[in-house]
Amino acid sequence: MELSGSEIIAQFLKDEGVEYLFGYPGGAVLHIYDALFQADEVKHILVRHEQAAVHAADGYARSSGKTGVALVTSGPGMTNAVTGIATAYLDSIPLVVLTGQVPTAVIGSDAFQEVDSVGISRPCVKHNFLVKDVKDLAETLKKAFYVASTGRPGPVVVDIPKDITDPNIKIPYTYQASISMRSYNPVIKGHQYQIKKAMELILRARHPVFYTGGGVVLSNASQSLRTLVQRLGFPITSTLMGLGAYPASDDQWLGMLGMHGTYEANMAMHETDVLIAVGARFDDRITGHLEHFCPNAKIIHIDIDPSSISKNVKVDVPIVGDVDDVLTSMLKLLKEDQDNTDKEAIKDWWKKIKQWRKKNCLKYNKKTKVIKPQYVIEKLHEVTKGEAYISSDVGQHQMFAAQYYKFDKPRQWINSGGLGTMGFGLPAAMGVQLAHLDKTVACVTGEGSIQMNIQELATCLQYQLPIKIINLNNRYLGMVRQWQEFFYEGRYAMSYMDSIPDFVKLAESYGHVGMQVDQTSDVEDALKEAFAMKDKLVFIDFITNREENVYPMIAAGKGQHEMELAPDSELV
Amino acid sequence: MRHIISILLENESGALSRVAGLFSARAYNIESLTVAPTEDPTLSRMTLVTRGSDEIIEQITKQLNKLVDVVKLNDLNVHGVHHIEREMMLIKVKATGSKRDEIMRLTTIFRGNVIDVTPNSYTIELTGTSDKLDAFVGAFECDTILETVRSGVMGIARGNSALHA
Ligand SMILES: Cc1cc2nc3c(=O)[nH]c(=O)nc-3n(C[C@H](O)[C@H](O)[C@H](O)COP(=O)(O)OP(=O)(O)OC[C@H]3O[C@@H](n4cnc5c(N)ncnc54)[C@H](O)[C@@H]3O)c2cc1C
Ligand SMILES: Cc1ncc(C[n+]2csc(CCOP(=O)(O)OP(=O)(O)O)c2C)c(N)n1
Ligand SMILES: [Mg+2]
């Protein structure tokens, strides 16, 4: 088959099984758009801002497990995409981002809409490529998908100069189904000796706890994790990125850990003697002050990326490998050993944990007239039967969603944890909805965050995406305000939002349904009404308690056992 | 501690900036870095000298290994590895009157070569460990030295073991 560079791109994406391409056109990618238009194989979703194209591809990837793909033009198209790329990078999400570039002959001459895309993206991609010859194009694209989706996943940028896509230069094309690279060989299989050593520690543990993260989701290892944890009968906690990988409704689950994690999860971490870290990277939101982190624990760490191991916290038994592979090996060993865990000690350990649980650290007063954000999320869970895909923006609302929507399935909770990108929620929800056309998708957001990519309401109309937007409107950049209340003596510098739009009218002007709710008693009915509108995007503006704070909280610099609980938690 | 890391990487235009960018992004220090293509033109060999605690050096080697362009690397300062290191220097010094003989003698002692001569200057080529080059530089008065160029350290393991793709 003789194809031009642009036709190769269109054909390759089809051969690679790409379902959607999220993008925005411009000069440097016009040839590509023309080829896509004529081929009409891969569905192109026209967003309203390149950042949203990348977030949408990201939401698609997180919720489906497949690689998300975006296409943007050179210069401003590429720079607009950077926030999206960095967001995916910090959460290890597989993306391929195709960026147009000025023609090879003028690269480096400050040509119109030229930026050094490879240079700008380098620190926030897993890898990037500049295609210098159309003969390399197909192979480079294959490498990009291979690198993005294997090992520790991540975004890969392919920068394509305009002359490479010239419709008049045709070359032979064949699809290469697989590829190998001498400089890139991720380790999948865990070292058997290390796994044995880990099992020995596990079987001797008296106060064990599983600390699980995004790596379990990325590895599709929920099933093996659940089997192992239930066989052992150990408590388990998850990071913000790991929510759903183990069912929140199961009794062995202690809730999320970390800065806004539960009392029982953080206390169990503090007192554990054997910590089993699975696909989690000891982020500072988890460890708190490093000196106080798991002071008595021997630590086992399973991670596919050797550089995640002993980066922040020195571990005792490192196991480099894919979570699912390692957990499966552990299960095999466990079968041979039959369960000789220290049953008595584990029973006592659970007794202690149950004492911590009794604090009921997530309780709040439900009887107020003004709407509590926690209440909205609890009702959201009820009305959607816990089955919705929930995307989130960044702030207090994100924490409330994480704490109160009890996720039972992996890939159901879609949020930006590492970069914490406000503006992620709505475009990510678009990708989620496209990946799961017949499923319920809600975006939990705040009046600050939603305005960072509000223009995507137009995209939602164009493609009929019936997302339900749950706007927890506290008229504050709440997370910032909370820190100012706690650490800056209540000086609310720039955390108050003036001139907030009328979201009901705004939603309507974009052709959607808008609702506003300002009383607790109306919350449930409003949600029911909104979710009954199966084909409509509904924007529900919940006017919530202004100065609500997220609890529990471990202040910066404090140890994980020095949590602060809600001041009124004893009263309710 | 000072570590010399030998790296075999793809001979691609972006590869060097990936390594340099990694060091600045993660605030690791680079003392010196040299790179050139190998006998296989698709590969470059880099020698990088850095300093850090054991933990930092461990992270540096892991992060380097993670770069997709890095094919292989070897830390020459880990237990059990013996290595040879060399650095080359070109140094131009003022040389007039009686100084000319003195400088010649010094150059012989350090086993250097005078490779360019003018009525009032010498240019000397010297190879050795960085310490030796430092000692040579230290043997001159500051205002005698016109300029110096150093290659940065190159390193290789002793014995039969070799770094190859
Ligand atoms: C406002 C705000 C508040 C936050 N508060 C909290 C909080 O209270 N608690 C909390 O937990 N987080 C919190 N976060 C999120 C936090 O910043 C980090 O993003 C999060 O803790 C990281 O989760 P993780 O350790 O699971 O790592 P991830 O970023 O999900 O990393 C996954 C790890 O798994 C590895 N991995 C990937 N694939 C595989 C595989 N196939 N096999 C094996 N290993 C694999 C990777 O190498 C990596 O080390 C907050 C974020 C924001 C924005
Ligand atoms: C792009 C971006 N800019 C700034 C921040 C810092 N920040 C974190 S949370 C937050 C406030 C978010 O406000 P809102 O969306 O209203 O959510 P709330 O905390 O009130 O629930 C800000 C400004 C960020 N995370 N992302
Ligand atoms: Mg707000």
Side-chain angles (χ1 to χ4, degrees), chain A residues 128 182-183 305-307 309, chain B residues 10 18 42 59 62 66 68:
Chain A
N128 57 21
R182 66 176 169 189
S183 60
D305 178 359
S307 76
I309 294 177
Chain B
E10 296 289 350
R18 284 183 219 283
T42 67
Q59 265 300 308
K62 284 173 168 179
K66 203 165 126 179
V68 170

Side-chain angles (χ1 to χ4, degrees), chain A residues 195 224-225 228 322-335:
Chain A
I195 296 176
S224 47
L225 176 72
L228 181 68
D322 177 58
V323 167
D324 196 46
D325 182 86
V326 175
L327 295 185
T328 308
S329 300
M330 286 183 158
L331 270 167
K332 267 195 210 124
L333 286 180
L334 199 60
K335 285 206 182 101

Side-chain angles (χ1 to χ4, degrees), chain B residues 1-2 4 10 19 28 34 42-43 49 61 64 81 93 102 113 119 129 142 162:
Chain B
M1 190 183 145
R2 175 176 180 266
I4 301 180
E10 296 289 350
V19 174
Y28 304 143
T34 72
T42 67
L43 290 170
V49 182
T61 54
L64 282 168
V81 176
V93 294
E102 198 184 316
N113 299 310
T129 61
C142 257

Side-chain angles (χ1 to χ4, degrees), chain A residues 89 118 122-123 125-129 132 143 147 152 181-184 305-311 314, chain B residues 10 13-14 17-18 21 25-26 40 42-43 55 58-59 62-63 65-71 165:
Chain A
Y89 180 65
V118 165
R122 198 193 57 232
V125 292
K126 183 170 173 188
H127 196 58
N128 57 21
F129 298 93
K132 289 189 196 135
K143 281 184 183 167
V147 171
R152 178 178 185 168
M181 291 163 72
R182 66 176 169 189
S183 60
Y184 175 73
D305 178 359
S307 76
S308 277
I309 294 177
S310 293
K311 179 166 66 179
K314 193 114 194 97
Chain B
E10 296 289 350
S13 56
S17 60
R18 284 183 219 283
R26 296 195 182 261
D40 171 353
T42 67
L43 290 170
E55 289 77 34
E58 182 182 331
Q59 265 300 308
K62 284 173 168 179
Q63 293 291 348
N65 260 319
K66 203 165 126 179
L67 294 177
V68 170
D69 282 336
V70 168
V71 181

Side-chain angles (χ1 to χ4, degrees), chain A residues 99-402:
Chain A
T99 58
Q101 184 53 280
V102 300
T104 318
V106 296
I107 286 183
S109 69
D110 300 324
F112 177 63
Q113 297 196 324
E114 177 182 3
V115 293
D116 174 8
S117 304
V118 165
I120 287 177
S121 61
R122 198 193 57 232
C124 58
V125 292
K126 183 170 173 188
H127 196 58
N128 57 21
F129 298 93
L130 170 66
V131 183
K132 289 189 196 135
D133 187 329
V134 63
K135 290 194 211 79
D136 300 334
L137 181 59
E139 189 180 78
T140 305
L141 290 170
K142 186 68 208 180
K143 281 184 183 167
F145 277 83
Y146 173 57
V147 171
S149 61
T150 51
R152 178 178 185 168
V156 175
V157 164
V158 184
D159 200 27
I160 309 172
K162 190 166 183 182
D163 52 309
I164 302 291
T165 60
D166 186 339
N168 299 314
I169 302 174
K170 306 227 175 196
I171 60 158
Y173 164 82
T174 47
Y175 176 71
Q176 211 180 328
S178 72
I179 196 159
S180 74
M181 291 163 72
R182 66 176 169 189
S183 60
Y184 175 73
N185 297 293
V187 176
I188 304 297
K189 283 211 103 37
H191 198 291
Q192 277 307 312
Y193 175 76
Q194 292 295 91
I195 296 176
K196 274 215 180 85
K197 247 171 62 182
M199 281 319 286
E200 279 164 22
L201 266 183
I202 287 173
L203 293 179
R204 268 190 282 130
R206 301 174 56 82
H207 303 149
V209 65
F210 275 90
Y211 148 50
T212 61
V216 180
V217 178
L218 293 165
S219 167
N220 297 315
S222 293
Q223 195 52 54
S224 47
L225 176 72
R226 192 202 288 216
T227 314
L228 181 68
V229 170
Q230 292 181 347
R231 278 281 311 274
L232 290 167
F234 291 179
I236 172 170
T237 174
S238 314
T239 67
L240 183 71
M241 300 313 294
L243 296 180
Y246 190 90
S249 54
D250 188 88
D251 207 43
Q252 279 169 254
W253 198 63
L254 306 183
M256 181 171 84
L257 80 163
M259 181 176 274
H260 293 300
T262 65
Y263 186 71
E264 51 271 36
N266 285 321
M267 289 308 288
M269 289 288 287
H270 193 66
E271 300 208 357
T272 183
D273 65 344
V274 175
L275 179 67
I276 309 141
V278 188
R281 59 185 171 85
F282 295 82
D283 186 85
D284 52 64
R285 303 270 130 157
I286 301 301
T287 57
H289 196 295
L290 281 173
E291 238 170 70
H292 305 299
F293 180 71
C294 301
N296 310 315
K298 289 262 182 244
I299 304 179
I300 298 163
H301 187 187
I302 306 169
D303 203 294
I304 203 160
D305 178 359
S307 76
S308 277
I309 294 177
S310 293
K311 179 166 66 179
N312 303 334
V313 172
K314 193 114 194 97
V315 306
D316 302 280
V317 185
I319 306 174
V320 176
D322 177 58
V323 167
D324 196 46
D325 182 86
V326 175
L327 295 185
T328 308
S329 300
M330 286 183 158
L331 270 167
K332 267 195 210 124
L333 286 180
L334 199 60
K335 285 206 182 101
E336 291 160 14
D337 277 1
Q338 285 314 319
D339 260 331
N340 27 21
T341 50
D342 190 340
K343 303 248 161 34
E344 275 310 302
I346 304 292
K347 216 163 126 198
D348 288 347
W349 179 222
W350 272 112
K351 263 192 209 143
K352 202 160 191 186
I353 291 171
K354 279 181 188 143
Q355 286 305 313
W356 291 325
R357 254 188 187 160
K358 277 204 187 126
K359 287 240 181 205
N360 203 359
C361 68
L362 291 178
K363 77 187 155 194
Y364 62 93
N365 188 352
K366 300 182 194 202
K367 296 191 194 96
T368 54
K369 188 160 173 258
V370 282
I371 302 172
K372 289 277 193 176
Q374 300 92 323
Y375 181 77
V376 177
I377 304 293
E378 281 193 334
K379 285 292 158 192
L380 175 66
H381 183 264
E382 241 177 77
V383 169
T384 57
K385 302 192 186 69
E387 288 167 358
Y389 286 87
I390 306 289
S391 82
S392 163
D393 264 303
V394 172
Q396 292 184 317
H397 60 272
Q398 176 187 24
M399 293 299 111
F400 291 131

Side-chain angles (χ1 to χ4, degrees), chain A residues 394-397 420-422 446-449 452 474 476-480:
Chain A
V394 172
Q396 292 184 317
H397 60 272
T421 310
M422 290 171 68
E447 81 296 336
S449 294
M452 284 212 180
N474 53 9
Y476 273 123
L477 300 175
M479 187 55 96
V480 173

Side-chain angles (χ1 to χ4, degrees), chain B residues 6-152:
Chain B
S6 281
I7 307 165
L8 206 57
L9 70 170
E10 296 289 350
N11 185 9
E12 306 255 359
S13 56
L16 173 60
S17 60
R18 284 183 219 283
V19 174
L22 172 70
F23 275 70
S24 62
R26 296 195 182 261
Y28 304 143
N29 74 66
I30 298 188
E31 231 160 67
S32 76
L33 182 160
T34 72
V35 61
T38 65
E39 74 285 0
D40 171 353
T42 67
L43 290 170
S44 293
R45 170 80 173 242
M46 178 184 278
T47 308
L48 195 149
V49 182
T50 182
R51 246 172 228 285
S53 61
D54 290 353
E55 289 77 34
I56 290 185
I57 298 293
E58 182 182 331
Q59 265 300 308
I60 289 177
T61 54
K62 284 173 168 179
Q63 293 291 348
L64 282 168
N65 260 319
K66 203 165 126 179
L67 294 177
V68 170
D69 282 336
V70 168
V71 181
K72 256 199 190 132
L73 71 77
N74 190 6
D75 180 348
L76 297 179
N77 292 86
V78 293
H79 204 68
V81 176
H82 296 283
H83 76 277
I84 303 161
E85 61 178 274
R86 288 289 181 273
E87 186 175 1
M88 186 199 243
M89 173 168 68
L90 303 179
I91 177 168
K92 190 179 287 181
V93 294
K94 281 189 210 156
T96 49
S98 64
K99 288 269 179 215
R100 290 178 81 87
D101 274 355
E102 198 184 316
I103 294 170
M104 280 302 253
R105 265 200 309 279
L106 199 61
T107 304
T108 316
I109 293 171
F110 277 83
R111 286 191 229 151
N113 299 310
V114 175
I115 54 173
D116 190 38
V117 178
T118 73
N120 40 25
S121 73
Y122 283 153
T123 301
I124 302 153
E125 170 199 329
L126 188 68
T127 306
T129 61
S130 305
D131 283 352
K132 175 177 158 184
L133 304 194
D134 290 343
F136 189 68
V137 171
F140 291 93
E141 310 268 316
C142 257
D143 62 351
T144 316
I145 299 175
L146 295 169
E147 61 176 320
T148 59
V149 200
R150 294 172 69 148
S151 63

